[in-house]
Amino acid sequence: MAQVKIYGIKEKLDPVKEALSRVIHACVMEALQMPQDKRAHRFFPMEREDMLAPGGRTDAYTIIEISMITGRSVETKKKLVRLLFDKIRDEVGIEHQDIEICISESPAHDWGFRGMHGDEVKLNYKINV
C-alpha cells in the first residue's frame, strides 16, 4: 500500500494533475512493483500565500509525500525518488529544484483497509522489494 499526497500552488498544480498522477504512478509501479490498479493520489492545490517555499524555488514548487507500509529496501526507495525527480522533470516539466519528496513508512499493523488491519490483508503484490 502506498498513499501519495501532492501539494503545489493551485495555478501551477491544477493544469498538470493528470500528467503528474500518471508519472507518479508509473514510477511507483516500476520502483515498488505495485500493480496498475493501486493508485491512491490526493492533490492539495494551495493558494500562493499558503504555499511558502524555500529560496530558489519557482511557483512550480511541488511537495510529494508518500506513505507506505514498511519493508522496502533503501535501494528501492532511492530508485523511486530518482525516478520521480527525472520523470517529473522530463514528462511534466517541473525542474528538480522545484520538487521535494518525503517517504514515510509505518508497519502494516498501523494501516487499515478493506475492513481489516494491514497485517491481516492478503496483498497481491510484494512489500519486501
Side-chain angles (χ1 to χ4, degrees), residues 91-111:
E91 298 180 33
V92 183
I94 302 173
E95 294 298 326
H96 287 166
Q97 76 270 6
D98 281 326
I99 302 168
E100 290 192 14
I101 302 162
C102 180
I103 297 173
S104 299
E105 297 177 290
S106 56
H109 64 265
D110 286 350
W111 287 73

Side-chain angles (χ1 to χ4, degrees), residues 5 27 29 35-36 44 47 56 62 78 92 103 107:
K5 295 177 185 174
C27 294
M29 288 190 307
Q36 174 71 33
F44 296 87
E47 297 299 326
T62 303
K78 288 180 89 168
V92 183
I103 297 173

Side-chain angles (χ1 to χ4, degrees), residues 13-64:
L13 184 60
D14 281 347
V16 299
K17 276 184 194 176
E18 270 188 55
L20 194 52
S21 180
R22 180 179 27 78
V23 169
I24 291 169
H25 193 56
C27 294
V28 167
M29 288 190 307
E30 182 176 339
L32 305 182
Q33 301 175 15
M34 296 285 289
Q36 174 71 33
D37 67 340
K38 298 298 179 196
R39 185 184 315 204
H41 298 172
R42 308 297 178 263
F43 285 89
F44 296 87
M46 312 285 288
E47 297 299 326
R48 182 171 276 109
E49 63 269 13
D50 295 327
M51 183 77 177
L52 304 178
R57 306 313 191 278
T58 72
D59 282 351
Y61 179 62
T62 303
I63 299 172
I64 300 168

Side-chain angles (χ1 to χ4, degrees), residues 108 111-125:
W111 287 73
F113 49 95
R114 299 185 212 151
M116 296 185 280
H117 295 96
D119 60 348
E120 298 169 351
V121 177
K122 297 261 189 216
L123 301 173
N124 63 346
Y125 55 90

Side-chain angles (χ1 to χ4, degrees), residues 11 54 108 127:
E11 291 79 19
I127 298 294

